[in-house]
Amino acid sequence: MTSATTHAYDFPYRISGIGAQIGEIISVDDWARLAHIPHRRRLGEELRGADVERILGVVSKSWDRERFGALDAVVPVARQALRSAHAEPADIDAVFVATCTPYEIMLDQDAFNLLRHLRIPDSVPPFQLGAGCGGLSRVAAHLARTDAKRALVVTYNAASPIGIDDNGIIASYGGGNGEHPFAHTLWCSGALFSDAATALVLERDEDFDGLGFYSRDSLEFGGEPGFSDPLIHYPGGGAAHPPGFPGSAELSAFGLNGPELARYYSRGMMLNQLTMEAHRPGFVDEVRRIYTHQAGPALVEDYHQLAGLDETKAPAHARELGNLVTSATPVLFYTDVVNGLIGEGDTAAFSVIGAGPERGAFLARVAIAGEVTVTEPLPPVPAVALAARTTGPGDAPATRLASAATS
């Protein structure tokens, strides 16, 4: 048992509402034709979709600047979650907004604007987290330390608005940027990260023996020295490199420290599972589904194989959708809900890891009160997961659904 076990906490919450929206799905061939990424080894040539697939493993991605160009895309998703929970804005006593691509970067204006649009009471303070892929674990850890009865959790990643201009041309992710410490791989963030927005309503449930844990891994990492590297580097735009000053624009981009990311994901996700197992022996068999962060197809597949998980227990969508960051696991859960793969009375596990670094996992009961809005396009469902569909009492019953057009 590692020292990470000391970070465990009680999590007496059920998921009573869910909303989600992804963007139009484009192939990496189409993305590469727009991106014009110079090939580092073949002078005068550009990366093709086949090159992107070989390097990153993705074959397509959610990429929709028209839909995700403004915070307006997020508001209806939050309303969907409230409706499915049979909750009014006045019923919400805590709101968490987690994103690494805010539409306005200062003073948490995204959260203030979102709460105003939703008409959340002025007595509810906004809690905005500038979080990456592991942000949902931080949200759960904060929520567990409050006495909130009904919390709204909103996550979104708007990758396309920061990577494509008004003419539909993807910004340069080439190697000509000499300022950024990961200049030669900046194109990877554009090719990997994708658009999505999700919302969850979490209600306190004292009858549910929920569990979670959280770790930053800054001081210690599974018996090894902790991390000082943030894994994802975005040094521009703050007081250290102010907007408008030389070099700031070149530093205002997401750079991936690939080797450290791979090391942290592979070991960290396994530590997540071992920590949960230490506190809840047999939790893998206890839960209906385990939603793991979708860092990239190869990393996810390697971890699932190492952990002995297949897609009947742990679904995956990184190959088809790319990395949806904080929204990755809620989109997996939403997909299962609308396809009847998880339902009333089931327990779901969420296990995530990301920049910071930070990681964690938690268990939550599923108890969605009303209709779940079906948005288009629907995220893909692996055939092996569909084969596991269940409908009997105590399993995953047919889900009450409503289309976005009529909701």
Side-chain angles (χ1 to χ4, degrees), residues 9 11 13 94-99 127-146 148 151-155 200 202 213-214 326 330 352 358-362:
Y9 55 81
F11 195 68
Y13 282 91
V95 178
F96 297 87
V97 178
T99 182
F127 198 150
Q128 182 166 330
L129 308 178
C133 300
L136 200 62
S137 65
R138 200 186 333 165
V139 168
H142 280 306
L143 177 58
R145 289 161 172 79
T146 74
L152 175 65
V153 179
V154 181
T155 76
L200 296 165
L202 291 167
F213 88 95
Y214 173 85
T326 317
V352 297
E358 63 182 345
R359 62 185 174 88
F362 63 91

Side-chain angles (χ1 to χ4, degrees), residues 15 276 283-292 304 309-317 329 331-343 345-351 362-366 380-390 395-396:
I15 302 173
M276 294 294 286
F283 89 96
V284 171
D285 295 325
E286 172 190 345
V287 303
R288 167 69 67 181
R289 299 282 258 176
I290 301 175
Y291 302 109
T292 60
H304 284 182
L309 301 173
D310 63 27
E311 289 191 350
T312 63
K313 177 65 73 170
H317 60 201
T329 50
V331 166
L332 286 169
F333 172 70
Y334 168 80
T335 306
D336 275 358
V337 169
V338 299
N339 285 283
L341 297 168
I342 194 166
D346 288 330
T347 299
F350 293 79
S351 180
F362 63 91
L363 308 180
R365 175 180 284 169
V366 181
V381 184
V384 67
L386 281 175
R389 185 194 302 272
T390 55
D395 290 325

Side-chain angles (χ1 to χ4, degrees), residues 10 102 134 137-138 182 219 237 242 258 280 310 385:
D10 294 330
S137 65
R138 200 186 333 165
F182 292 93
L219 306 179
R280 185 67 61 84
D310 63 27

Side-chain angles (χ1 to χ4, degrees), residues 247-316:
S248 178
E250 290 79 4
L251 292 170
S252 298
F254 292 101
L256 284 61
N257 186 338
E260 289 295 274
L261 275 167
R263 182 169 76 92
Y264 188 61
Y265 184 91
S266 300
R267 181 92 191 280
M269 287 296 291
M270 202 64 218
L271 285 173
N272 280 6
Q273 181 156 333
L274 292 173
T275 301
M276 294 294 286
E277 184 68 29
H279 286 275
R280 185 67 61 84
F283 89 96
V284 171
D285 295 325
E286 172 190 345
V287 303
R288 167 69 67 181
R289 299 282 258 176
I290 301 175
Y291 302 109
T292 60
H293 175 59
Q294 304 291 290
L299 289 175
V300 173
E301 290 167 10
D302 287 348
Y303 163 63
H304 284 182
Q305 184 173 21
L306 181 65
L309 301 173
D310 63 27
E311 289 191 350
T312 63
K313 177 65 73 170

